[in-house]
Amino acid sequence: MDSTLQLPEADDRSLRLPAHGTTVTAEDLRVRFVLAADLDDTIEVDASQVESVGQAVLQLLVAARNEAAANGQGFRIANPSQAFVNRVNSCRLAAAIGLETGDVL
């Protein structure tokens, strides 16, 4: 199980969600969101490798998007995996995290 988030390459500022987003990985993710909010105009979250995503990570995504909006920052989910899309839609959180899937909820 991947318990830590990978650090981005020097020229890649996106936040990559881990394959298995759990309560354990949520703390690392929270720190990364704080840093991204301080450094970037738009927070981009790469969800391409997600196989499962838990409640703590979903809560962080909702909170991060709300914070970004309050601060006039962009927030974007990039390359969401089908597992990520399915989980977000089943929790009815697509609008709350800004996931544009084209699916009718």
Side-chain angles (χ1 to χ4, degrees), residues 17 43-47 61 75-80 84 97-99:
L17 295 182
I43 298 171
E44 184 169 304
V45 180
D46 181 343
L61 290 169
F75 184 90
R76 180 171 111 76
I77 303 293
N79 307 313
F84 181 82
I97 66 168
L99 182 64

Side-chain angles (χ1 to χ4, degrees), residues 38-81:
D38 289 342
L39 301 174
D40 297 329
D41 291 329
T42 296
I43 298 171
E44 184 169 304
V45 180
D46 181 343
S48 63
Q49 300 301 312
V50 173
E51 295 176 22
S52 65
V53 60
Q55 177 184 352
V57 172
L58 291 173
Q59 288 174 333
L60 278 173
L61 290 169
V62 171
R65 181 168 186 258
N66 287 339
E67 186 70 16
N71 292 327
Q73 282 182 297
F75 184 90
R76 180 171 111 76
I77 303 293
N79 307 313
S81 69

